[in-house]
Amino acid sequence: MTASSPSGASGAGARSMADDIRGRSDDELRALVTRRQDLARPAPADLSALAARAGTRASIQRAVDSLDLAHLQVLEAALASGVPVRPETVTRLLGADEDDAESSGVDGSGAAVVGSLLDDLWSLGLLWRSPEGLHPARAVTEVLPHPAGLGPRAADLFVRLPDDPATTADEAPSAARAILDRLAWGPPLAVLPAGSPARVSEGARWLLEHHLVASTGADQLTLPREVALALRGGRTHRDPTLTVPAPTGTTVDQAFVDSAAGQQVTDLFVLIDELAAEWGLRPPRVLRSGGLAVRDLRRVAALLDVDEARAAFVVEVAYAAGLLADDGALEPSWAPTPAYDEWQQQPAGDRWATVARAWLGSTRAAHLVGTTPAGMTSSVNALGPDAHWPPARGLRADVLGQAAAAGEAMAVSPSTLATAVRWHRPRRVPSQLDTVVEAVLREAEWLGVTGRGALSSAGRALLAGADDDAIAAAMAAHLPEPVEHVLLQADLTAVAPGPLAGSLATFMRLVADVESRGGATVYRFTADSVRRGLDAGWSVDQVLGTLAEASPTPVPQPLEYLVRDVARRHGQARVGSVSAYVRCDDETTLGAMLADRELSALQLRRIAPTVVVSPVAADTVLGFLRDNGYAPAAETPDGGVVVPSVGRHRTPTQRSRTPVTASVVDDDLVTTLIGTMRAGEEAAAYHRDQLATRQGPALPSTDPTTTLAVLRDAAADRQAVWIGYADGEGQVRRLLFYPERVEGGRVHGTADGTTRTLSIHRVTGAAPG
């Protein structure tokens, strides 16, 4: 069948497409189902069902959205060329013929490239073959109503075109020409709102009078396809790109790449550990709308000594890996999970595999934190619901996949990667693609998937889908070995020449502040940091003893003096509940508190030489005194010192989250499916043959009232009637029945010379014989 336009592929076209699919070989069917895996779920009963599903708009939409730019441009040119689709016409419309192949970005024979792409589109089921040639699937014209920005044909718009549209357009006045130039490359529709300048209205009127545009509404003009092609010089696309753009970049030594990636991973582990230590002690509240408050994110950034973008990334990647969660309390807080404690004890390579795989499969977009997307009135909070962005996972895989395709040790620029992603997924890229690509590369660098702008060896293993052991081994080779000692210095600092082992790392974070990170971490001891350790229940001897064991050199005298001086003053003043009381054997210290104007909010009042009281809660008094240079300790009602649980707030055990994954249709399933569809097709063909050779008319499905009327009329006229009758096993049989009387929900008569009594409710259909 030959249609006059792409939209003409209607009922007969659908049958022809079904015939085309039924005529494909097993290898061709395997290619179709493998490339369009939605066709296999659920499994079609036969090839006709497969063809019907392949022609649905939803399935066609998925297939068209998956096309790269070359296939999409060829498909658009095929739609513009008319039916049947001629390869030479498509080649000419794309400017890929021998005279113009260079301008279309084609290497070699343009006709061969276009022919190969058309074959791919046929293999994908977007085109089907008939004896006349190729036809587009009907739903393709619905998914691409304006291919390449072209409007409907003049015949569909009921416009009689001038003999030479290009010459007529050249004669158009400037106002009319401006409208044509605006519509030439699409979109082909223009709306002239009320109050348009007279010059514009006159130009539109001239175009209508000369039949270069059609009026498709009270204020809408449409440019016919033929006129647009004439204005474009016979081209469907301004810049056809039929070959993949080659990625460009700079070559980097792979050893340097892996070394840089290893250092980034080491830094990431330190940041996650510091975050967990802080939130274990002081968990921030969960916002009522979900997420982390802006001020809490700023505190995290200050604590980790990073900018807010990287702080948001650390928080989000720890959340994606299940290391942080909402504790589910009545007033919920963000806190480390029990899984964090297990993760912290694992080898470094395994720790990285867990975090990296969680990041790659996550639909969280850390780069959105702090931004205000279109349509929103507030900014996106870290850990909030607005940071969930489903396209993030696919775009992350596309960007890194293109980086991997550039070759080993190749640092590709973000702009080049954005161009490659646009070419491979032209219908699936967001408007802010450049921002997304930069964010993916930045996060990949922080995570160690890349180093110095190129993919690390472990990053390639991750993208290749290797198992966790292989991924961990690939990264472990480039991570520094943990150390179990620090170098104490006389300037109250300590240098860790590598990542510290578990318990020593916890101790150093408790009694010292991180001053700088890098290949070595520098810690600084201060009065506040030492007091933090004493508050946690460590004695002065335990602190100095642990430092002495961890250092290959003796504890420097200044550090020992600092620890003992803080310990001497620690706990001199005691805070309890009155609402609060402060007691101190040193009356001078209490006098200084009463005279301190910074403590006036506490409303301190002396009730004894060594005791003052406050109406403020004990925790607040404790915090105020510490903030103003005092070193009190919390006291129990029986006079003991309260030892807080430091860094141990944990969420309840979390249910393991199963990531959302797509079920892949593998080769074994495809082979089984094709065999099943072949068998189903044979069964359907046999059934059709049986229907074609049996006697009698086709039996419509009739309701009991209609069946009774047909049987009564036949009994009265003593005529035979064909009926479908369901037996006790559920099988429907055709009978030529001679009814004699109908009564009590039954019909009495003869069939095949035998007297029969049939129940009316078992009769599926009846027709006069």
Side-chain angles (χ1 to χ4, degrees):
M1 183 190 77
T2 303
S4 61
S5 70
S7 59
S10 55
R15 291 193 296 273
S16 297
M17 181 175 177
D19 292 337
D20 174 81
I21 288 181
R22 282 195 292 266
R24 298 192 182 197
S25 67
D26 286 355
D27 289 340
E28 291 166 342
L29 289 174
R30 183 175 290 104
L32 172 64
V33 176
T34 300
R35 297 179 67 182
R36 293 177 61 179
Q37 300 199 356
D38 60 298
L39 301 180
R41 304 288 189 184
D46 51 36
L47 294 177
S48 298
L50 177 68
R53 189 177 300 172
T56 61
R57 174 162 184 163
S59 183
I60 291 290
Q61 179 85 54
R62 290 171 60 95
V64 171
D65 287 348
S66 68
L67 296 178
D68 59 34
L69 188 58
H71 288 86
L72 181 62
Q73 290 182 342
V74 169
L75 179 61
E76 290 177 327
L79 293 175
S81 69
V83 176
V85 177
R86 305 294 183 189
E88 57 274 14
T89 304
V90 175
T91 303
R92 177 174 50 79
L93 288 173
L94 290 169
D97 47 12
E98 293 183 2
D99 296 335
D100 221 359
E102 183 177 354
S103 63
S104 63
V106 175
D107 296 330
S109 172
V113 172
V114 171
S116 176
L117 293 172
L118 286 172
D119 288 341
D120 282 346
L121 293 171
W122 172 82
S123 175
L124 201 56
L126 298 177
L127 301 176
W128 54 271
R129 288 192 179 117
S130 72
E132 293 82 11
L134 289 169
H135 300 250
R138 177 177 55 187
V140 172
T141 60
E142 300 173 5
V143 174
L144 298 173
H146 300 302
L150 296 170
R153 296 180 182 279
D156 297 331
L157 295 172
F158 304 103
V159 174
R160 183 178 179 181
L161 296 174
D163 295 335
D164 189 350
T167 301
T168 305
D170 291 338
E171 299 171 353
S174 59
R177 185 69 197 193
I179 296 175
L180 288 178
D181 292 341
R182 179 66 63 88
L183 299 179
W185 290 99
L189 307 177
V191 176
L192 302 178
S196 297
R199 181 172 176 272
V200 175
S201 301
E202 291 174 2
R205 188 178 303 109
W206 190 93
L207 294 174
L208 288 169
E209 291 173 352
H210 289 77
H211 309 292
L212 290 178
V213 298
S215 177
T216 52
D219 55 357
Q220 182 171 288
L221 302 178
T222 300
L223 186 69
R225 181 172 301 181
E226 294 85 349
V227 176
L229 288 173
L231 294 175
R232 298 180 183 188
R235 296 279 197 92
T236 54
H237 296 83
R238 191 193 304 267
D239 299 307
T241 308
L242 303 186
T243 55
V244 59
T248 58
T250 56
T251 302
V252 186
D253 190 319
Q254 188 65 44
F256 291 161
V257 171
D258 292 335
S259 176
Q263 183 58 54
Q264 291 285 357
V265 173
T266 301
D267 292 345
L268 177 64
F269 288 167
V270 172
L271 296 178
I272 293 177
D273 287 340
E274 290 190 16
L275 176 67
E278 174 67 15
W279 284 10
L281 178 62
R282 289 175 286 274
R285 295 294 178 87
V286 178
L287 292 175
R288 183 174 300 178
S289 59
L292 184 69
V294 174
R295 63 179 180 275
D296 290 325
L297 181 63
R298 288 173 181 164
R299 290 193 188 105
V300 170
L303 170 73
L304 304 182
D305 193 23
V306 296
D307 58 26
E308 290 186 25
R310 188 166 187 180
F313 167 72
V314 173
V315 169
E316 287 285 354
V317 78
Y319 175 72
L323 308 180
L324 302 173
D326 178 344
D327 64 3
L330 185 61
E331 294 185 357
S333 301
W334 295 108
T337 65
Y340 167 75
D341 298 310
E342 300 176 4
W343 175 82
Q344 194 182 32
Q345 302 304 317
Q346 294 175 352
D350 294 335
R351 296 171 71 190
W352 184 80
T354 299
V355 173
R357 196 179 288 282
W359 172 77
L360 187 63
S362 173
T363 56
R364 309 281 304 174
H367 73 277
L368 294 179
V369 174
T371 65
T372 305
M376 292 182 58
T377 58
S378 58
S379 60
V380 177
N381 293 101
L383 303 179
D386 295 328
H388 172 70
W389 190 45
R393 178 168 56 185
L395 287 170
R396 196 176 290 131
D398 286 343
V399 172
L400 296 178
Q402 294 307 315
E408 292 189 9
M410 179 69 74
V412 186
S413 66
S415 60
T416 300
L417 287 177
T419 300
V421 172
R422 283 192 181 93
W423 191 91
H424 283 276
R425 293 289 184 270
R427 289 175 60 87
R428 285 186 176 178
V429 294
S431 57
Q432 68 277 19
L433 179 62
D434 291 334
T435 301
V436 174
V437 170
E438 291 176 359
V440 170
L441 293 179
R442 183 170 61 248
E443 293 178 5
E445 191 83 12
W446 289 337
L447 190 61
V449 174
T450 62
R452 295 178 179 261
L455 278 174
S456 63
S457 300
R460 287 189 177 276
L462 176 68
L463 294 177
D467 57 36
D468 288 346
D469 291 340
I471 295 173
M475 179 53 74
H478 307 288
L479 295 177
E481 290 292 332
V483 298
E484 297 183 355
H485 67 276
V486 293
L487 304 176
L488 298 178
Q489 317 229 24
D491 60 353
L492 300 181
T493 61
V495 178
L500 294 177
S503 60
L504 181 57
T506 303
F507 172 76
M508 291 300 297
R509 281 196 300 271
L510 181 63
V511 300
D513 298 322
V514 175
E515 188 168 84
S516 66
R517 301 185 186 91
T521 303
V522 178
Y523 296 88
R524 177 165 293 279
F525 297 94
T526 64
D528 288 339
S529 68
V530 173
R531 180 187 51 76
R532 192 166 61 228
L534 299 177
D535 286 343
W538 289 73
S539 68
V540 60
D541 293 333
Q542 288 175 324
V543 172
L544 293 175
T546 303
L547 290 174
E549 291 177 1
S551 175
T553 59
V555 177
Q557 195 174 58
L559 178 57
E560 183 176 357
Y561 284 169
L562 173 67
V563 174
R564 294 192 181 279
D565 184 57
V566 173
R568 179 178 56 79
R569 293 182 290 110
H570 184 265
Q572 284 185 345
R574 304 296 181 91
V575 176
S577 297
V578 171
S579 290
Y581 68 84
V582 182
R583 69 179 182 88
C584 181
D585 295 336
D586 186 353
E587 297 180 22
T588 304
T589 301
L590 288 183
M593 292 181 185
L594 291 169
D596 195 337
R597 298 180 63 181
E598 297 295 330
L599 302 179
S600 60
L602 299 181
Q603 302 178 35
L604 297 174
R605 181 169 56 90
R606 190 192 294 266
I607 61 173
T610 60
V611 180
V612 297
V613 295
S614 170
V616 181
D619 289 343
T620 304
V621 172
L622 194 66
F624 257 80
L625 293 178
R626 287 175 176 172
D627 290 343
N628 286 277
Y630 299 94
E635 186 173 66
T636 63
D638 60 359
V641 176
V642 176
V643 178
S645 55
V646 178
R648 294 302 303 169
H649 182 71
R650 295 292 183 265
T651 67
T653 301
Q654 303 287 310
R655 181 189 303 175
S656 60
R657 292 177 290 183
T658 303
V660 178
T661 57
S663 178
V664 179
V665 178
D666 55 23
D667 293 340
D668 293 338
L669 178 59
V670 172
T671 300
T672 302
L673 182 63
I674 291 174
T676 302
M677 289 191 296
R678 292 285 189 199
E681 192 65 26
E682 292 177 1
Y686 175 78
H687 183 64
R688 289 193 296 269
D689 292 341
Q690 291 293 104
L691 293 177
T693 57
R694 69 187 179 185
Q695 296 180 337
L699 294 179
S701 178
T702 56
D703 58 78
T705 301
T706 304
T707 300
L708 280 171
V710 172
L711 291 174
R712 285 195 179 107
D713 291 344
D717 296 338
R718 296 184 180 278
Q719 297 292 326
V721 62
W722 284 98
I723 65 172
Y725 189 72
D727 58 22
E729 297 180 355
Q731 298 292 326
V732 178
R733 299 176 56 196
R734 289 169 59 91
L735 298 175
L736 183 61
F737 190 70
Y738 294 85
E740 297 175 359
R741 67 182 187 279
V742 180
E743 57 185 14
R746 291 181 174 84
V747 58
H748 305 273
T750 59
D752 297 330
T754 304
T755 301
R756 302 282 300 274
T757 299
L758 306 178
S759 298
I760 298 298
H761 72 274
R762 288 180 177 268
V763 178
T764 61

